[in-house]
Amino acid sequence: QVQLVESGGGLVQAGGSLGLSCTASGSISRITTMGWYRQAPGKQRELVATITNGGSPNYVDSVKGRFIISGDNAKNTVYLQMDSLKPDDTAVYFCYFRAGIFSLRDYWGQGTQVTVSS
């Protein structure tokens, strides 16, 4: 039973920083991609950032230059460093792992609330 546990959410003022982490426990096959999604009330869930097991990152345009994604495949952990936070960043953030050898499977964290006050 694979579980993804997130930590690091909270309340910060605009312009502040916050770091998120997510670690997968249990038996998980080879991880190909790790990432973060977010969803605000009344809005569609959107992809924030992903990183491949080779270390190639990808970001949604709205967070480029402010967020940095990193991962540690040996520890089954993905991180998201968020700087220069804006009120529009307020959302529930979900970590995401895609893993498998030839048949890929997606795993999701429970979500952690990030609130940025103005």
Side-chain angles (χ1 to χ4, degrees), residues 1-2 9 29 36 55 60 76 84 101:
Q1 193 74 24
V2 175
S29 59
W36 295 90
V60 67
N76 294 334
S84 301
I101 299 175

Side-chain angles (χ1 to χ4, degrees), residues 34-52:
M34 300 182 289
W36 295 90
Y37 286 71
R38 66 186 181 186
Q39 186 169 23
K43 296 183 179 180
Q44 192 170 348
R45 184 177 297 188
E46 68 170 348
L47 190 150
V48 178
T50 61
I51 186 167
T52 68

